[in-house]
Amino acid sequence: MDRSRQIQRYCCCTTNLECCKIIAIFYGISRISMVYAVWDFMQDHRYVITFYTTSSLMFSTLAIFVIIVAFECFFFFGDVLLLIGTMKKIKGSLFTWNIFTLIAILHLFIMLIILKRISSEFDRTSLIVTILFSAIRLGFFLWAILTVKGAIEDINRATVRPTIQQIHL
């Protein structure tokens, strides 16, 4: 077989398609955990935040919570699409997940810009940890996009029927 036609594997332990199932489950669980963590943080720190700033920040923190939950639900829907698309080998679902992930990367950068603008209310250590966590998250996003792209190529290769010339070789 010609080496130029081989599909790149982005996961060392399994195929791209199998890895996409793991990615969908991992991201789905992480999104549910994120919503819970933000809710728990809001419950524990709402009075501290209100004490150090104006009382209108309480509404702002609630609005931020609603925005985070809305985005995480939107992206969770994409994770479900990825899982179903991987199991049933639907290229459109996998491609849609890649679009959702590109939106998530844009969302990550917007949140970092907002964080930088309000960083005077946070200590320096929290800001550094947030930036490091965001860089790691960005790395995982890019790896997942490449893996899903490889899975789409796997599906394309599986659906291509051999030509008469390939059969006789």
Coordinates of all heavy atoms in Angstrom, one line a residue, residues 100-130:
F100 N -18.0 22.9 16.7 CA -18.3 23.2 18.1 C -17.0 23.5 18.8 O -16.9 24.4 19.7 CB -19.1 22.1 18.8 CG -20.5 22.1 18.5 CD1 -21.1 22.6 17.3 CD2 -21.4 21.6 19.4 CE1 -22.4 22.6 17.1 CE2 -22.8 21.6 19.2 CZ -23.3 22.1 18.0
T101 N -16.0 22.7 18.6 CA -14.7 22.8 19.3 C -14.0 24.1 18.9 O -13.3 24.8 19.7 CB -13.8 21.6 19.1 OG1 -14.6 20.4 19.5 CG2 -12.5 21.6 19.9
L102 N -14.1 24.5 17.6 CA -13.5 25.7 17.2 C -14.2 26.9 17.9 O -13.6 27.9 18.3 CB -13.6 25.9 15.7 CG -12.6 24.9 14.9 CD1 -12.9 25.1 13.4 CD2 -11.2 25.2 15.2
I103 N -15.5 26.8 18.1 CA -16.2 27.8 18.8 C -15.8 27.8 20.3 O -15.7 28.9 20.9 CB -17.8 27.6 18.7 CG1 -18.2 27.8 17.2 CG2 -18.5 28.5 19.6 CD1 -19.6 27.3 17.0
A104 N -15.5 26.6 20.8 CA -15.1 26.5 22.2 C -13.7 27.2 22.4 O -13.4 27.8 23.4 CB -15.0 25.1 22.7
I105 N -12.8 27.1 21.4 CA -11.5 27.7 21.4 C -11.7 29.2 21.4 O -11.1 30.0 22.2 CB -10.6 27.2 20.3 CG1 -10.2 25.8 20.5 CG2 -9.4 28.1 20.1 CD1 -9.5 25.1 19.3
L106 N -12.6 29.7 20.5 CA -12.9 31.1 20.5 C -13.5 31.6 21.8 O -13.1 32.7 22.4 CB -13.9 31.4 19.4 CG -14.3 32.9 19.2 CD1 -13.1 33.7 18.8 CD2 -15.4 33.0 18.1
H107 N -14.3 30.8 22.4 CA -14.9 31.1 23.7 C -13.8 31.2 24.8 O -13.8 32.1 25.7 CB -16.0 30.1 24.1 CG -16.5 30.2 25.4 ND1 -16.2 29.3 26.4 CD2 -17.4 31.1 26.0 CE1 -16.9 29.6 27.5 NE2 -17.6 30.7 27.3
L108 N -12.9 30.3 24.7 CA -11.8 30.3 25.7 C -11.0 31.6 25.6 O -10.6 32.2 26.6 CB -10.9 29.0 25.4 CG -9.7 28.9 26.3 CD1 -10.1 28.5 27.7 CD2 -8.8 27.7 25.8
F109 N -10.7 32.0 24.4 CA -9.9 33.2 24.2 C -10.7 34.4 24.7 O -10.1 35.4 25.3 CB -9.4 33.4 22.8 CG -8.3 32.6 22.4 CD1 -8.3 31.6 21.4 CD2 -7.1 32.7 23.1 CE1 -7.3 30.8 21.1 CE2 -6.0 32.0 22.8 CZ -6.1 31.0 21.8
I110 N -12.0 34.5 24.4 CA -12.8 35.6 24.9 C -12.8 35.6 26.4 O -12.7 36.7 27.1 CB -14.2 35.5 24.3 CG1 -14.2 35.8 22.8 CG2 -15.2 36.4 25.0 CD1 -15.5 35.5 22.1
M111 N -13.0 34.4 27.1 CA -13.0 34.4 28.5 C -11.6 34.9 29.1 O -11.6 35.5 30.2 CB -13.3 33.0 29.0 CG -14.8 32.6 28.7 SD -16.0 33.7 29.2 CE -16.0 33.5 31.0
L112 N -10.5 34.5 28.5 CA -9.2 35.0 28.9 C -9.1 36.5 28.8 O -8.5 37.1 29.7 CB -8.1 34.3 28.1 CG -7.8 32.8 28.6 CD1 -6.8 32.2 27.6 CD2 -7.4 32.8 30.0
I113 N -9.6 37.1 27.7 CA -9.6 38.5 27.6 C -10.4 39.2 28.7 O -10.0 40.2 29.3 CB -10.1 38.9 26.2 CG1 -9.1 38.5 25.1 CG2 -10.4 40.4 26.1 CD1 -9.6 38.6 23.7
I114 N -11.6 38.6 28.9 CA -12.5 39.2 30.0 C -11.7 39.1 31.3 O -11.7 40.0 32.2 CB -13.8 38.5 30.0 CG1 -14.6 38.9 28.8 CG2 -14.6 38.8 31.3 CD1 -15.9 38.1 28.6
L115 N -11.1 37.9 31.6 CA -10.4 37.7 32.8 C -9.3 38.7 33.0 O -9.0 39.2 34.1 CB -9.9 36.3 32.9 CG -9.1 35.9 34.2 CD1 -10.1 35.9 35.4 CD2 -8.5 34.5 34.0
K116 N -8.6 39.0 31.9 CA -7.5 40.0 32.0 C -8.0 41.3 32.4 O -7.4 42.1 33.1 CB -6.7 40.0 30.7 CG -5.5 41.0 30.7 CD -4.7 40.9 29.5 CE -3.6 41.8 29.5 NZ -3.4 42.8 30.5
R117 N -9.2 41.7 31.8 CA -9.7 43.0 32.2 C -10.2 43.1 33.6 O -10.1 44.2 34.2 CB -10.9 43.3 31.2 CG -10.4 43.6 29.8 CD -11.5 44.1 29.0 NE -11.0 44.4 27.7 CZ -11.4 45.4 27.0 NH1 -12.3 46.2 27.4 NH2 -10.8 45.7 25.8
I118 N -10.7 42.0 34.2 CA -11.1 42.1 35.6 C -10.1 41.5 36.5 O -10.4 41.2 37.7 CB -12.5 41.4 35.7 CG1 -12.4 39.9 35.4 CG2 -13.6 42.1 34.9 CD1 -13.6 39.1 35.8
S119 N -8.9 41.3 36.1 CA -7.9 40.6 36.9 C -7.4 41.4 38.1 O -6.8 40.8 39.0 CB -6.6 40.2 36.0 OG -6.0 41.4 35.6
S120 N -7.8 42.6 38.2 CA -7.4 43.4 39.4 C -8.1 42.9 40.6 O -7.6 43.1 41.7 CB -7.7 44.9 39.2 OG -9.1 45.0 39.0
E121 N -9.2 42.1 40.5 CA -10.0 41.6 41.6 C -9.5 40.2 42.0 O -9.9 39.7 43.0 CB -11.5 41.5 41.2 CG -12.1 42.9 41.0 CD -13.5 42.8 40.6 OE1 -14.1 41.7 41.0 OE2 -14.0 43.7 40.0
F122 N -8.5 39.6 41.3 CA -8.0 38.3 41.6 C -6.5 38.4 42.0 O -5.8 39.4 41.5 CB -8.1 37.4 40.4 CG -9.6 37.1 40.0 CD1 -10.1 37.8 38.9 CD2 -10.4 36.3 40.7 CE1 -11.4 37.6 38.5 CE2 -11.7 36.1 40.4 CZ -12.2 36.7 39.3
D123 N -6.1 37.5 42.7 CA -4.6 37.5 43.0 C -3.8 37.0 41.8 O -4.4 36.3 41.0 CB -4.3 36.8 44.3 CG -4.7 35.3 44.3 OD1 -5.2 34.8 43.2 OD2 -4.4 34.6 45.2
R124 N -2.6 37.2 41.8 CA -1.7 36.9 40.7 C -1.6 35.3 40.5 O -1.6 34.9 39.4 CB -0.3 37.5 40.9 CG 0.6 37.4 39.8 CD 1.8 38.2 40.1 NE 2.6 38.4 38.9 CZ 2.5 39.4 38.0 NH1 1.5 40.2 38.2 NH2 3.3 39.5 37.0
T125 N -1.6 34.6 41.6 CA -1.5 33.1 41.5 C -2.7 32.5 40.8 O -2.6 31.7 39.9 CB -1.4 32.5 42.9 OG1 -0.3 33.1 43.6 CG2 -1.2 31.0 42.8
S126 N -3.9 33.0 41.1 CA -5.1 32.5 40.4 C -5.1 32.8 38.9 O -5.5 32.0 38.1 CB -6.4 33.2 41.0 OG -6.5 32.8 42.4
L127 N -4.6 34.0 38.6 CA -4.5 34.4 37.2 C -3.5 33.4 36.4 O -3.8 33.0 35.4 CB -4.1 35.8 37.1 CG -4.2 36.5 35.7 CD1 -5.6 36.4 35.2 CD2 -3.7 37.9 35.8
I128 N -2.4 33.2 37.0 CA -1.4 32.3 36.4 C -1.9 30.9 36.3 O -1.8 30.3 35.2 CB -0.1 32.3 37.2 CG1 0.6 33.7 37.1 CG2 0.9 31.2 36.7 CD1 1.8 33.9 38.0
V129 N -2.6 30.4 37.3 CA -3.1 29.0 37.2 C -4.2 28.9 36.1 O -4.3 28.0 35.4 CB -3.7 28.6 38.6 CG1 -4.5 27.3 38.5 CG2 -2.6 28.4 39.6
T130 N -5.0 30.0 36.0 CA -6.1 30.0 35.0 C -5.5 30.0 33.6 O -5.9 29.3 32.7 CB -7.0 31.2 35.2 OG1 -7.5 31.2 36.5 CG2 -8.1 31.3 34.2

